[in-house]
Amino acid sequence: MAGACVRVSSGAVLAITLAVQSLVAAAALVVPVLAPAISAQTGVAGESIGIYVSLMYVGAMAGSLMAGGWVSRLGAIRASQLGLVLCAAGLLLSVAGYTVLLAIGAILLGLGYGPITPASSHLLIQTTPVNRMSFVFSVKQTGVPLGGVLAGLLAPKLEIGVGWQGALLVTAAACLVCALLAQWVRAELDADRKPARTAGLGGLRAPLALIFSHRTLSLLAGASLCFSAVQWSFSAYLVTYLHDSLAYTLIAAGALLSLGQVAGVVGRIFWGWCADRYLGAVLMLAVLAALMGLGVLVLASLSAQAPVPMVALALVVLGAAAVGWNGVYLAEIARQAPAGKTGMATGGALTCTFLGVVVGPPLFGAMMALFDSYRIAFVLIVIPALLCGVLLVTQRRRFSVREEA
C-alpha cells in the first residue's frame, strides 16, 4: 500500500502527523486560553472570544475545502507546512492586539488548521494496514486534545514570563520550526504530488461534490456535523452549567471539564481499537452516539445534591464519546473515499464537521435562552446525533464496499 512512502516507516509517518496536529491545535487555542490577559491589556471584550472561535472555524472550513487541491498539487507535507505557516501568520497578526487584526488572525489560523487533517489522512492511508486504520487514525487525532493540553499548560506560564505577546510569538516560532523540520521528509512523502493539478479557490466545490455524490460519505459527514455540535456545546457550556445549575465553583467545574477532555483522549484510542477489532467503524460510531445520549441524559437529570463521583462518571462517559469519536470517523472517511481522493474527501467531510462547530454552540445558547434551561438545551442538542446513530445502523451494509468515483 505504501506507494511513494517507502523509506519512511508507518510509525514515523504517524509521529510526524501527530506532532503537526498537536502543534496547530495548540496554536488555535492559545488566544482563547490567554483571552483574560489580552482583554485586560487591549480592552477587547473577553466575551468576544466566541466570535474569534467562530471566525477561526469559518477559515477552517475554507482551508478544508482547498486542502484536496493543495495535497494533490503540492504534496501532503507541503500542504502541512503551508498550514503551519498560516497559523504562524495568524498569531503574528494577533500580537498587535487590535480587534480587526485579531479577527484576520483568527481566519488565517483557521485556514492553516483546515488542511492538516486531510494532509495527514493522505499520508496515513498509504502506510496503514486496513485492519489497524481506526486505531492509527484515532491515535493521530489525539493531537487535537493534546494540543489543548499544551496550550492550557504552557501558554499561561509563558504569559507570566514573557507576556501574552511573547507567548503568541513563541507559539508562532514553534510552528515555523516544525514547518522547517518537515522539509527533511518532504522528498519521500510528497513524491506522489501532481504539480499539474490546480489548487486554490477554484477547487472549493469539488470536495463537497465528492462527498454528496457518495451516499456513505454524505452519511458520515452529516453525522459528524451533529456529533461536533454536541462535542463543542459540551466543551463550551459545561463549566457554566456546573456552576449555575449544580452550584460548583469555577475551579471545580474546570477540573471536571478537564476530566471529560482526558476521557476523550483515552476514548479516541480505545474506540479506534474496538472498531478495528470488534465492531467496525460504522457500528462503533452508532454506539458512540448512544453513549452521548446516555451521558447527556444522566448529566441533565442530576441535581445540586448529586454525589461528585456520579457527576464525574457522567462526564467521563460523555467526554469519552463526544470528544472521542473523531478518529474512527476519519478512518472510515479514508476507507470510503475513492482511490487517490482521500485528501479531497477528508477536506469535504471536515467542512461539515467544522460547520457543526460554527452552528452548534450558538444554537445551544439560543435554546438555553428560549427555555431558560441548560438541561433542556443539552437534551435537544443530542437528539440529532442519536438520529444519526440510528441511520448509520440501518445503512451500515452500504459501507461494506468502497465506492469508486
Side-chain angles (χ1 to χ4, degrees):
M1 274 182 94
C5 303
V6 294
R7 286 186 285 174
V8 181
S9 69
S10 59
V13 172
L14 176 58
I16 292 163
T17 54
L18 177 60
V20 173
Q21 186 78 68
S22 300
L23 190 52
V24 297
L29 286 172
V30 81
V31 170
V33 166
L34 297 178
I38 296 172
S39 178
Q41 289 194 19
T42 65
V44 176
E47 56 269 22
S48 64
I49 198 62
I51 299 174
Y52 180 93
V53 172
S54 292
L55 287 172
M56 185 168 62
Y57 275 93
V58 168
M61 290 170 64
S64 294
L65 287 175
M66 291 186 287
W70 292 356
V71 170
S72 294
R73 183 180 183 185
L74 306 174
I77 290 296
R78 180 66 87 226
S80 298
Q81 291 173 309
L82 180 58
L84 287 161
V85 170
L86 285 169
C87 286
L91 292 173
L92 291 173
L93 274 181
S94 301
V95 167
Y98 296 116
T99 302
V100 172
L101 293 181
L102 281 166
I104 297 173
I107 294 172
L108 286 176
L109 274 161
L111 285 171
Y113 188 93
I116 299 303
T117 297
S120 63
S121 293
H122 177 87
L123 292 171
L124 291 174
I125 195 68
Q126 299 179 69
T127 57
T128 304
V130 174
N131 63 343
R132 298 185 66 241
M133 200 171 291
S134 292
F135 177 76
V136 169
F137 274 67
S138 295
V139 170
K140 196 277 297 183
Q141 280 304 111
T142 61
V144 177
L146 286 174
V149 172
L150 284 174
L153 291 177
L154 299 181
K157 294 181 179 179
L158 285 170
E159 193 276 330
I160 293 173
V162 295
W164 68 266
Q165 289 106 329
L168 266 58
L169 289 172
V170 169
T171 309
C175 290
L176 294 175
V177 169
C178 185
L180 184 62
L181 292 176
Q183 187 64 28
W184 290 356
V185 295
R186 201 243 169 173
E188 291 88 348
L189 296 184
D190 281 357
D192 62 344
R193 66 188 183 276
K194 300 175 178 66
R197 289 277 184 92
T198 59
L201 294 176
L204 291 180
R205 180 181 173 275
L208 290 177
L210 175 63
I211 291 297
F212 293 118
S213 65
H214 292 74
R215 176 73 170 172
T216 54
L217 292 175
S218 59
L219 285 171
L220 290 166
S224 79
L225 189 155
C226 299
F227 287 6
S228 65
V230 174
Q231 176 183 345
W232 285 88
S233 296
F234 163 71
S235 299
Y237 288 98
L238 179 67
V239 169
T240 305
Y241 168 67
L242 292 175
H243 181 264
D244 292 352
S245 300
L246 300 189
Y248 279 78
T249 66
L250 289 177
I251 293 176
L256 286 170
L257 174 62
S258 296
L259 176 65
Q261 297 292 326
V262 170
V265 174
V266 177
R268 291 189 183 210
I269 299 173
F270 182 68
W271 305 136
W273 178 79
C274 286
D276 283 337
R277 182 129 186 185
Y278 298 111
L279 299 180
V282 177
L283 189 55
M284 187 74 256
L285 289 171
V287 169
L288 292 176
L291 288 175
M292 290 181 209
L294 175 63
V296 163
L297 288 175
V298 173
L299 184 65
S301 67
L302 295 175
S303 68
Q305 290 73 42
V308 174
M310 184 180 296
V311 178
L313 180 60
L315 293 178
V316 166
V317 173
L318 182 53
V323 181
W325 57 274
N326 310 68
V328 176
Y329 156 69
L330 289 169
E332 189 61 20
I333 289 288
R335 264 191 292 259
Q336 295 298 322
K341 295 185 178 180
T342 301
M344 182 180 292
T346 303
L350 281 176
T351 303
C352 298
T353 308
F354 293 151
L355 182 60
V357 182
V358 173
V359 304
L363 180 61
F364 182 99
M367 292 188 296
M368 189 279 296
L370 178 64
F371 296 104
D372 194 27
S373 171
Y374 284 101
R375 301 175 192 274
I376 293 175
F378 271 119
V379 172
L380 291 178
I381 202 72
V382 84
I383 289 175
L386 289 171
L387 294 176
C388 286
V390 173
L391 186 61
L392 287 171
V393 170
T394 59
Q395 299 291 312
R396 67 184 183 278
R397 289 187 179 179
R398 290 180 176 271
F399 292 83
S400 59
V401 179
R402 175 164 146 169
E403 300 179 60
E404 299 299 329

